[in-house]
Amino acid sequence: METIGFIGLGIMGAPMAGHLLDAGYTVVSSDHRSKPPADLIGKGLKTVSGHDAVAKAADIVILMVPDTPQVADVLFGENGVVSGLTKGKLVVDMSSISPIATKEFARKINDLGCDYLDAPVSGGEVGAKAASLTIMVGGEDKAFERARPVFEKMGKNITLVGPNGVGQTTKVANQIVVALTIEAVAEALVFASKAGADPAKVRQALMGGLAASRILEVHGERMVKRTFAPGFRIELHQKDLNLALEGAKALGVSLPNTSTTQQLFNSCAANGGAKEDHSALVRALERMAGHEVG
C-alpha cells in the first residue's frame, strides 16, 4: 500500500484521513500550523515538520484546505509540497477551488514529472464521517486508476469527469444546485411556518413526494431544530458561488438565481453568520419575513 500524505485535517479532512488509517494505509501529515487531532495520532498518524517533508515521505499527497490561495501556498509556498516531490509521485487536491488556477497548478506539477488530480468532494461533514462522499475527478486515466483505491476508502460515487480542471468545474456546478436547493427548502419552510403549519410536519410530508431530497432531509431538519453548527460553513459556500459567478461572467452565462442566493448568504455573513452551517441561509429569509421557523 502506498504511503499517503494528508494536508488539511479540518472538519472534512480529519475523518477522511481517519478512514485511510482504518484501512491500513500509512498516513503522514504536517504540524505546520497546529497539532493533528489526537484521535488520528492514536490511530497511527505520523507527523513531520513542513509540507515538503510530507511530500518526501509520501507516494500520494492529498490536500484538503479551504480555498485557492491556501492550495497555492501549500504547494508552492515556503517549505511547500513541490520542494519535496520527486518524479512519479501523485498530488491530489480534494479542496474546492478555482478551475482556472487548478489547470495552472496541474501544469506546474506535471512539469516536475508528477501526476495531478483535482478531486473535490460533496457530502459535507456527514459524508466525510460516513465515507460516503461523492468525488468528482479531473485528470489523466492512469493517475485516476492509481488513486481509485484511496478514493474508495473515503467515498462512494467516484467519477473521472474529464481532464484537469473539470473536477473543479463539476464541483462548482454541484454547489449551485446545493445552494439553490437550500434556498428553496428555506423559502418553503418559512412560508409554511408563517402560514401556521408545523414546519416539522410539513417537512415530513414533503419527504414522501417529488420535493424529497437529501437537502430537505438533512438541512430542512437543521432549520426546524435550529442546529446550525457547521458541517459546511456559509463563508465557504460564498467562496464557491463566487467561483460560479466569476466563471459565468467569463463564459457569458447568466446565473440569476445563483446571484440571488449569494446575496442571501451575504446577508447572513453581514449579520454574523459566516461561520454557521449553510442551512442557516434560512435566517436571511426569516429576517425579511419577521418570522422564525421552529
Side-chain angles (χ1 to χ4, degrees):
M1 299 176 77
E2 296 190 280
T3 296
I4 310 298
F6 207 110
I7 299 171
L9 299 175
I11 289 175
M12 299 287 290
M16 292 164 68
H19 294 311
L20 298 179
L21 288 163
D22 291 340
Y25 283 97
T26 297
V27 181
V28 181
S29 191
S30 170
D31 56 7
H32 176 70
R33 290 190 179 276
S34 60
K35 283 189 176 182
D39 63 322
L40 295 184
I41 293 175
K43 289 182 177 184
L45 178 75
K46 300 181 184 300
T47 58
V48 293
S49 295
H51 302 321
D52 53 346
V54 173
K56 288 176 184 177
D59 304 300
I60 300 174
V61 181
I62 296 174
L63 281 64
M64 189 61 175
V65 297
D67 202 350
T68 307
Q70 286 79 30
V71 173
D73 182 59
V74 167
L75 290 176
F76 308 110
E78 185 178 358
N79 299 321
V81 166
V82 295
S83 299
L85 290 177
T86 52
K87 188 174 180 180
K89 296 196 175 189
L90 170 61
V91 175
V92 182
D93 178 27
M94 303 189 78
S95 319
S96 297
I97 69 166
S98 164
I100 296 171
T102 290
K103 293 177 184 179
E104 180 64 15
F105 296 163
R107 184 190 65 76
K108 291 180 178 179
I109 298 298
N110 292 158
D111 286 347
L112 298 173
C114 299
D115 290 316
Y116 190 96
L117 295 173
D118 48 294
V121 304
S122 180
E125 182 182 13
V126 172
K129 288 182 175 179
S132 61
L133 293 168
T134 290
I135 305 175
M136 347 176 181
V137 188
E140 297 294 327
D141 286 352
K142 63 183 178 68
F144 175 70
E145 291 303 326
R146 179 180 178 183
R148 186 197 289 273
V150 178
F151 290 150
E152 288 174 345
K153 303 305 179 187
M154 299 182 286
K156 298 296 184 186
N157 181 24
I158 303 161
T159 306
L160 178 62
V161 188
N164 285 129
V166 175
Q168 295 293 354
T169 296
T170 304
K171 178 59 189 287
V172 171
N174 177 86
Q175 294 303 81
I176 293 172
V177 173
V178 170
L180 270 60
T181 308
I182 289 174
E183 197 279 337
V185 169
E187 279 197 19
L189 293 181
V190 168
F191 167 77
S193 179
K194 190 158 187 179
D198 181 339
K201 291 183 178 179
V202 170
R203 172 186 162 277
Q204 182 181 352
L206 294 178
M207 282 300 298
L210 190 59
S213 70
R214 182 67 172 157
I215 287 172
L216 177 62
E217 178 187 358
V218 176
H219 293 76
E221 183 177 48
R222 284 176 174 265
M223 294 174 195
V224 171
K225 292 186 176 180
R226 321 305 291 174
T227 52
F228 298 130
F232 189 78
R233 299 191 303 274
I234 280 175
E235 62 187 355
L236 293 179
H237 215 139
Q238 285 180 290
K239 175 260 298 183
D240 291 340
L241 293 192
N242 278 338
L243 293 175
L245 294 169
E246 289 168 2
K249 182 178 180 181
L251 292 168
V253 173
S254 178
L255 301 177
N257 292 327
T258 301
S259 180
T260 299
T261 303
Q262 180 72 314
Q263 291 302 320
L264 294 173
F265 279 137
N266 291 347
S267 173
C268 291
N271 282 274
K275 297 190 182 301
E276 291 188 313
D277 186 78
H278 51 174
S279 59
L281 176 144
V282 71
R283 293 192 192 274
L285 295 169
E286 290 171 340
R287 281 189 289 271
M288 289 189 285
H291 176 82
E292 183 176 291
V293 172

